[in-house]
Amino acid sequence: YIKEILVGIYRLLQGMAVTMRNMIRPKITEPYPENRTTAVPFERRKSVLQMPHNGNNQHRCTACLICMNSCPNGTIQIEVKKEIDPETGKEKRVLGSYKYDLGSCTFCELCTIMCPQDAISWSQDFENSVFTRSKLNLKLNAEGSSLIKKEPVAKEVAG
């Protein structure tokens, strides 16, 4: 009986020693709100899906719907418009709106892996807290944006 009491006191002192060691150690936690401008997230961090646009408000999304179909929980919703191509006279698909629900995204990265055009990527933003869920519904394509025109590839003639 006395042995069990002594073992219990010994274990209690061991736990108190760990607690005291951690109390006198210097703190390594970064003060988050104060270091907002200097905080650098990890390179592999996935935070918010984004659709990069160039200086002419053009993107690379061809509205192929692969990202929407590969999303396991319907986070991505794409509206497609049909337009007539003036060069060929054929009907083609054009991106109407690209909607993304950050609140239901599982960050599985299937959309960015499957995209054949590399039209979407992950940003490094780390402040995504909002008071209402409706602010987590984002539209990724900018108003009036269009598809980047591909330059025709010049074929070399073997001589």
Side-chain angles (χ1 to χ4, degrees):
Y1 178 72
I2 293 179
K3 182 180 176 186
E4 291 177 6
I5 291 175
L6 292 176
V7 169
I9 291 172
Y10 176 71
R11 300 287 183 213
L12 177 67
L13 291 176
Q14 276 185 324
M16 293 302 290
V18 170
T19 303
M20 295 309 273
R21 237 182 295 139
N22 286 324
M23 280 182 58
I24 43 182
R25 259 191 213 160
K27 307 297 182 250
I28 58 170
T29 305
E30 293 186 27
Y32 165 63
E34 292 82 23
N35 72 346
R36 215 176 250 163
T37 56
T38 59
V40 178
F42 293 111
E43 184 179 321
R44 293 180 57 192
R45 177 173 171 74
K46 297 180 291 235
S47 181
V48 178
L49 198 62
Q50 66 180 358
M51 181 181 290
H53 289 65
N54 65 10
N56 298 329
N57 197 20
Q58 295 176 329
H59 55 77
R60 290 187 289 220
C61 182
T62 59
C64 65
L65 306 179
I66 291 175
C67 57
M68 184 174 88
N69 293 331
S70 65
C71 183
N73 59 347
T75 298
I76 299 171
Q77 296 297 319
I78 299 175
E79 293 178 14
V80 178
K81 295 179 186 175
K82 301 278 185 175
E83 291 184 0
I84 305 292
D85 188 9
E87 296 174 3
T88 61
K90 295 181 180 178
E91 189 176 73
K92 67 176 186 173
R93 294 191 303 192
V94 177
L95 179 65
S97 70
Y98 194 105
K99 295 179 182 174
Y100 168 63
D101 183 10
L102 177 60
S104 67
C105 184
T106 59
F107 304 100
C108 65
E109 204 172 357
L110 288 175
C111 54
T112 55
I113 292 171
M114 298 300 289
C115 183
Q117 307 297 326
D118 290 330
I120 52 178
S121 61
W122 294 99
S123 73
Q124 293 287 313
D125 296 338
F126 57 90
E127 292 186 1
N128 298 325
S129 300
V130 292
F131 287 107
T132 58
R133 284 187 60 92
S134 62
K135 291 183 180 179
L136 295 174
N137 295 326
L138 307 171
K139 183 178 176 189
L140 298 187
N141 61 321
E143 287 297 322
S145 63
S146 62
L147 181 65
I148 293 176
K149 300 285 185 203
K150 291 186 178 179
E151 298 291 326
V153 179
K155 294 182 181 179
E156 293 183 23
V157 178

